[in-house]
Amino acid sequence: MNTSINWIKDLVPGIKEVGDQEFRDAMTMSGTKVEEFNRLNKNLEKIVVGQIKSVEKHQDSDHLVICQVEVGADAPVQIVTGAPNIPVGSSGQKVPVVLDGGKVAGGHDGSALPADGIKIKKGKLRGVESDGMMCSIEELGADREFYPDAPENGIYILPDSAEVGEDAVHFLGLDDCIFEYEITNNRVDCYSVLGIAREAAATFNKPFCPPVVTETGDDDDVNKYISVSVEDELCSRYTARVVKNIRIAPSPLWMQHRLMSQGIRPINNIVDITNYVMAEYGQPMHAYDYDRIAGHKIVVRRAKDGETFQTLDEQERKLDSDILMICDGEKEIGLAGIMGGENSKITDDVKTMLFEAATFDGTNIRKTTKRIGLRTDASGNFEKGLDPELALEAMNRACQLIEELDAGDVCGGVIDYYPNKKEQVKIPFEPDKYNRLLGTDISAEQQLAYFKNIEVGYDKDTNMLLIPSFRQDLKCDADIAEEVARFFGYENIPTSLPHGSTTMGGVSFAQRVIDTASETAEFLGFSQAMTYSFESPKVFDKLRIAADDAIRTTVKILNPLGEDFSVMRTLPINGMLTSLSTNYNRRNKDVRLYEMAKVYIPDPEDPACNDKLPDERVEFTLGFYGEGDFFDMKGVVEEFFTKVGLFDKITYDPNAGKNFLHPGRQANVIYDGKVCGYLGEVHPEVADNYSLGDRTYLAVIDLPVINEMAVFDRKYTGIANFPATTRDISMVVPKNILVGQIEDVIAKNGGSNLESYKLFDIYEGAQIKEGFKSVAYNIVFRAKDRTLEEKDVTGAMDKILEGLTKIGIELRK
């Protein structure tokens, strides 16, 4: 949102002497944040309106001429110029003239000059004295977009109304400063000059003087000319007036200058009035050619699916039943709240005009602009949710300007469809509560003074604050307290301790598990990675996922940045492998990464997620290449399980069935019968797909499953008082028997005195028969209350050996 400071000061005369920086600081501190400001005349000095009295040829140049220019009370000055639009023998043109010692802001071709402009001094051109310079519009820091009558390469010719000797910068409306604000969407009232001026008046505690709108219209009746039918609740208010005998002409300079300060190019009086009122009130308006409205009837209804409509930009728009249209008796003539149609636009030969000011549903306007790919200044205002009370105010203001500028004859009366008048919001006035919230001690009288400045009323009998309709952001006591704070001054609020009882901070159990996973990974040399949750559907082919695998069912994004970011991931490993690949191809060695990756699993009964949200799960994902192997990754997983209290029930199933992992070096991680995740070496084809030239290992632990079993309680066990007894056994084991099966037998048959067991050797070679392997274990026994006897240990070992024999294992001779 931009505003002209001159326009604001006209509405708040009490701040005429406030400087630009002072205005910026005060407005920002009161809640209307000023991003930046730009003074248009900061590099313009000693520039006056001059009138050319004579133009003679320069004797020593083919393209230079010598001009005598009257500049007011002083004697005429002589200026040498090469401008092509100042021919020899011409005179009478009024032009902007920079006098000796003055400054200009730009080059004649629009090129940039030093930040502080360039100084103009007397000098000689080809031996002839030149006492100043006549200016192009670019040299004044402006451009031809807003001054379309300016020549492409020449001196800017001022209109005859310019007074010789007066300040040319003022005449052109360049003695102004443009302020740019950052307005939050809940303050829709501040998307208008009146809204900003109202805030300025409250900030500086000065009177706000909005334009006085007088009654307009002749003795005719608008109902004789037009009828309006609103068939959909997406239009909560619709006002219309008719203007006859349209007289198209340029707008007055003051209006042109104000429009240009808003970045709007002046066109003609009718178009400029609609743009001016939208800037002033924030209420978009539209004008239709009355004679092109079939049946002289307006119908507000939804479009039909498949219809097309040509907008004013001459583009065909495809419509559907969610789009609100303005129609006449036969056809559509406008996209409600967005843009009018080519079939009813105002042309230079218009005789009678229909003015429209309405209130449309902001959410519907926003969705429509996205759907048809058309966003305008008007739709930008409507989608924020306009105040319905604004429509008639803006309509009357526009009709007043039509009469003041003699742009037409306003027909008497107004059509105003407003079936459900907006009720006034009332909030209890609780000054003590606001003070407690803010830590202040502001009197009730002072608070009411703040409210009066922002047009919030007060009913003493009911002790209620009466909220004006344009302040749609004021809904509860916290909003009212904020108003008190910003006008009291945030910088004036004293430092104070919070009131009330305190609570102990803490993290949730699930977060504690996540923190433990991070600490474990970092302790073991892993660095944290963060990857996108958005992925490409092509990832599944890259990972060798089967075509019928349920993991390919994904949540699709409605408005993706592109195909590579079009679905929500159901596996966390693409991001991990991509990060490892980036490191590998940048020649980083021994890289270890981990991520708390979220995956999104849609409900099988609702894969499109129309009614049910996807299952959002955090998966502890680890990956590394370089130093280490499968068993190193297994050790990391077991360390994490130990840290979360899962000590002795972890097993591994080699039949994990993960196509992206090596078929002989993968396993599901199982704890107490529940699959908690998987680990393994990346399949060579997948490694090639990711340009990984080293063996790469992955582990994925599903943390929601861990959360159900994790426990952080620890029971202290004292140092053993009695010695341990150890036994080593070496076994010949069929290759199809897993180490986990052996350990199950040892744990089950070792008895109550079994303290620990540890694999310390696996051997395959010539001394071992084919199809078998040698496995050796160290087994430790200890009793808590006595020293073990040989018979205690022998009995336990016999049971262990018996159990091993049953599964086809024999002792190595």
Side-chain angles (χ1 to χ4, degrees):
M1 175 65 193
N2 295 347
T3 68
S4 151
I5 191 64
N6 289 348
W7 197 346
I8 298 298
K9 288 182 176 181
D10 283 346
L11 294 167
V12 190
I15 63 170
K16 288 286 187 186
E17 304 304 318
V18 173
D20 297 338
Q21 188 63 48
E22 181 185 358
F23 182 83
R24 174 185 188 170
D25 294 343
M27 291 293 284
T28 298
M29 290 304 297
S30 69
T32 308
K33 183 181 178 183
V34 178
E35 285 288 318
E36 61 181 2
F37 62 88
N38 177 36
R39 178 146 285 282
L40 303 181
N41 61 344
K42 62 183 176 182
N43 292 324
L44 303 178
E45 295 179 8
K46 297 182 69 174
I47 303 176
V48 301
V49 175
Q51 186 167 26
I52 299 174
K53 307 307 290 183
S54 66
V55 182
E56 299 177 356
K57 180 176 174 51
H58 193 295
Q59 296 301 315
D60 294 329
S61 173
D62 293 334
H63 69 281
L64 295 177
V65 294
I66 304 169
C67 304
Q68 302 300 320
V69 184
E70 184 180 345
V71 292
D74 298 332
V77 296
Q78 178 172 286
I79 298 176
V80 179
T81 181
N85 63 334
I86 307 294
V88 173
S90 62
S91 64
Q93 302 100 318
K94 292 183 178 180
V95 295
V97 177
V98 189
L99 301 177
D100 177 36
K103 288 169 66 174
V104 293
H108 67 88
D109 57 354
S111 58
L113 291 179
D116 57 350
I118 188 168
K119 200 158 192 174
I120 304 300
K121 298 180 180 179
K122 287 184 179 181
K124 289 186 177 182
L125 288 175
R126 296 286 181 92
V128 176
E129 292 280 349
S130 183
D131 298 334
M133 185 181 79
M134 294 181 286
C135 302
S136 67
I137 199 65
E138 290 83 4
E139 287 165 328
L140 296 173
D143 58 56
R144 289 188 300 117
E145 179 183 0
F146 297 116
Y147 294 88
D149 56 333
E152 184 174 357
N153 185 21
I155 303 302
Y156 183 59
I157 307 300
L158 297 169
D160 292 339
S161 58
E163 300 257 345
V164 174
E166 76 169 302
D167 186 344
V169 174
H170 173 74
F171 180 81
L172 290 170
L174 297 175
D175 57 339
D176 202 350
C177 186
I178 307 303
F179 283 77
E180 180 183 343
Y181 306 87
E182 179 186 305
I183 307 297
T184 55
N185 283 344
N186 67 324
R187 288 302 305 273
V188 64
D189 58 302
C190 286
Y191 284 90
S192 67
V193 175
L194 288 179
I196 296 294
R198 188 181 289 111
E199 286 293 303
T203 298
F204 291 95
N205 196 23
K206 300 294 182 182
F208 172 51
C209 304
V212 178
V213 180
T214 56
E215 186 177 348
T216 56
D218 56 21
D219 295 333
D220 213 341
D221 183 5
V222 67
N223 293 285
K224 292 167 36 182
Y225 293 86
I226 196 76
S227 64
V228 173
S229 173
V230 178
E231 298 180 356
D232 199 282
E233 61 184 10
L234 292 175
C235 175
S236 57
R237 190 173 193 180
Y238 190 96
T239 66
R241 296 192 74 172
V242 171
V243 181
K244 303 173 291 185
N245 304 320
I246 298 297
R247 297 178 283 278
I248 300 290
S251 300
L253 288 178
W254 65 266
M255 179 174 282
Q256 293 188 34
H257 293 161
R258 286 186 172 179
L259 288 174
M260 287 188 285
S261 73
Q262 298 295 113
I264 301 171
R265 182 169 63 88
I267 297 175
N268 59 50
N269 50 4
I270 297 299
V271 176
D272 291 353
I273 285 171
T274 62
N275 287 333
Y276 183 87
V277 172
M278 184 171 78
E280 187 176 46
Y281 281 80
Q283 170 68 52
M285 303 187 67
H286 192 70
Y288 300 97
D289 187 335
Y290 173 80
D291 294 321
R292 301 173 73 177
I293 298 175
H296 295 163
K297 180 180 181 181
I298 292 293
V299 180
V300 183
R301 61 167 175 81
R302 292 180 186 242
K304 297 176 182 176
D305 290 328
E307 287 183 326
T308 59
F309 178 68
Q310 187 177 35
T311 46
L312 280 171
D313 57 0
E314 300 182 354
Q315 298 292 316
E316 287 284 341
R317 310 286 177 180
K318 188 174 180 180
L319 309 178
D320 60 53
S321 59
D322 289 327
I323 296 175
L324 193 65
M325 301 296 294
I326 308 299
C327 309
D328 61 17
E330 299 175 354
K331 61 188 181 298
E332 296 89 351
I333 59 174
L335 280 168
I338 302 174
M339 184 178 281
E342 181 72 17
N343 56 9
S344 62
K345 69 178 181 180
I346 297 291
T347 58
D348 289 343
D349 58 353
V350 64
K351 299 293 188 296
T352 306
M353 176 185 72
L354 175 71
F355 246 153
E356 163 195 285
T359 306
F360 303 111
D361 181 79
T363 301
N364 177 261
I365 296 295
R366 174 65 173 164
K367 289 181 177 179
T368 298
T369 59
K370 295 287 286 184
R371 194 153 50 247
I372 67 175
L374 174 64
R375 195 167 188 269
T376 61
D377 290 340
S379 69
N381 281 31
F382 276 120
E383 66 190 27
K384 295 175 179 67
L386 290 183
D387 172 20
E389 299 295 326
L390 199 60
L392 187 57
E393 294 179 32
M395 173 65 74
N396 292 336
R397 173 63 167 158
C399 291
Q400 178 190 36
L401 289 170
I402 286 175
E403 290 191 348
E404 289 180 358
L405 303 186
D406 194 30
D409 301 326
V410 179
C411 187
V414 59
I415 292 178
D416 184 10
Y417 170 85
Y418 193 14
N420 301 310
K421 185 174 176 61
K422 184 178 179 181
E423 294 184 3
Q424 185 172 43
V425 175
K426 297 180 180 180
I427 300 175
F429 177 49
E430 301 173 285
D432 292 338
K433 187 173 185 179
Y434 312 146
N435 280 323
R436 287 196 302 272
L437 279 170
L438 302 173
T440 54
D441 185 19
I442 307 171
S443 68
E445 292 74 20
Q446 183 61 62
Q447 293 184 29
L448 288 174
Y450 296 149
F451 300 145
K452 182 178 180 181
N453 286 344
I454 57 174
E455 300 181 31
V456 172
Y458 175 60
D459 185 340
K460 187 175 181 180
D461 294 335
T462 61
N463 193 42
M464 301 292 283
L465 295 173
L466 310 178
I467 309 303
S469 62
F470 58 81
R471 287 303 302 271
Q472 299 182 61
D473 60 306
L474 300 183
K475 299 176 181 177
C476 63
D477 52 9
D479 298 328
I480 299 300
E482 182 183 9
E483 297 301 296
V484 173
R486 67 193 189 96
F487 292 116
F488 176 70
Y490 293 111
E491 71 280 14
N492 297 323
I493 296 177
T495 302
S496 60
L497 294 173
H499 295 281
S501 59
T502 60
T503 57
M504 293 296 293
V507 297
S508 66
F509 187 85
Q511 186 60 49
R512 191 174 177 187
V513 172
I514 290 174
D515 292 344
T516 302
S518 297
E519 291 168 5
T520 303
E522 289 170 8
F523 174 75
L524 295 172
F526 288 75
S527 298
Q528 187 169 15
M530 295 182 69
T531 61
Y532 288 115
S533 296
F534 303 155
E535 290 187 337
S536 167
K538 297 177 182 177
V539 164
F540 299 115
D541 295 330
K542 203 172 179 180
L543 293 173
R544 303 178 72 249
I545 302 297
D548 59 349
D549 197 313
I551 208 72
R552 285 181 176 262
T553 303
T554 60
V555 178
K556 295 178 174 59
I557 299 171
L558 294 178
N559 56 339
L561 297 174
E563 185 183 6
D564 289 344
F565 302 95
S566 61
V567 300
M568 303 297 287
R569 65 184 174 191
T570 53
L571 284 171
I573 57 178
N574 172 66
M576 176 59 68
L577 290 175
T578 301
S579 297
L580 290 171
S581 173
T582 300
N583 279 276
Y584 179 82
N585 288 288
R586 291 180 181 173
R587 302 183 184 276
N588 293 327
K589 297 181 179 180
D590 300 325
V591 174
R592 292 186 168 207
L593 300 177
Y594 80 94
E595 180 182 11
M596 298 303 159
K598 286 187 177 181
V599 297
Y600 304 83
I601 312 298
D603 190 299
E605 297 179 1
D606 186 19
C609 298
N610 293 320
D611 299 316
K612 296 182 180 179
L613 291 174
D615 183 11
E616 186 174 333
R617 307 180 72 83
V618 179
E619 298 198 334
F620 179 26
T621 307
L622 299 135
F624 75 82
Y625 65 80
E627 185 178 350
D629 58 17
F630 177 93
F631 294 102
D632 287 281
M633 183 63 85
K634 177 172 173 282
V636 175
V637 171
E638 291 179 351
E639 179 69 14
F640 166 64
F641 272 65
T642 300
K643 292 291 185 182
V644 293
L646 307 181
F647 296 101
D648 54 3
K649 297 180 182 178
I650 184 170
T651 58
Y652 301 90
D653 179 5
N655 300 312
K658 307 296 182 186
N659 290 350
F660 47 84
L661 296 179
H662 192 293
R665 298 171 190 153
Q666 61 172 279
N668 277 335
V669 181
I670 301 171
Y671 189 84
D672 198 19
K674 292 184 179 180
V675 177
C676 304
Y678 52 87
L679 76 158
E681 180 183 329
V682 175
H683 194 288
E685 289 184 14
V686 175
D688 287 343
N689 291 341
Y690 284 89
S691 302
L692 285 163
D694 203 348
R695 286 190 173 185
T696 304
Y697 299 90
L698 294 174
V700 177
I701 305 299
D702 192 23
L703 292 188
V705 177
I706 298 297
N707 292 341
E708 297 174 4
M709 302 181 290
V711 57
F712 289 100
D713 296 336
R714 297 290 187 269
K715 186 175 181 181
Y716 171 74
T717 301
I719 298 173
N721 292 324
F722 299 94
T725 302
T726 63
R727 293 287 188 270
D728 292 341
I729 58 171
S730 180
M731 301 164 281
V732 178
V733 181
K735 284 188 177 181
N736 64 335
I737 292 181
L738 304 176
V739 165
Q741 294 174 265
I742 297 174
E743 293 181 353
D744 285 343
V745 171
I746 295 172
K748 183 177 180 181
N749 297 289
S752 60
N753 294 323
L754 177 67
E755 182 177 82
S756 65
Y757 46 84
K758 182 178 181 181
L759 174 71
F760 67 86
D761 182 59
I762 297 179
Y763 172 74
E764 294 181 40
Q767 292 95 340
I768 306 301
K769 56 186 176 181
E770 188 174 349
F772 287 78
K773 58 188 175 184
S774 173
V775 177
Y777 267 88
N778 173 260
I779 304 175
V780 179
F781 297 92
R782 190 194 307 266
K784 297 178 181 179
D785 56 352
R786 62 191 174 88
T787 300
L788 290 175
E789 298 180 6
E790 179 64 25
K791 62 180 181 180
D792 297 323
V793 176
T794 302
M797 287 299 300
D798 288 343
K799 289 182 180 180
I800 291 173
L801 294 174
E802 183 182 351
L804 293 173
T805 302
K806 288 180 179 179
I807 61 173
I809 297 174
E810 59 187 53
L811 286 178
R812 187 176 177 187
K813 305 296 186 184

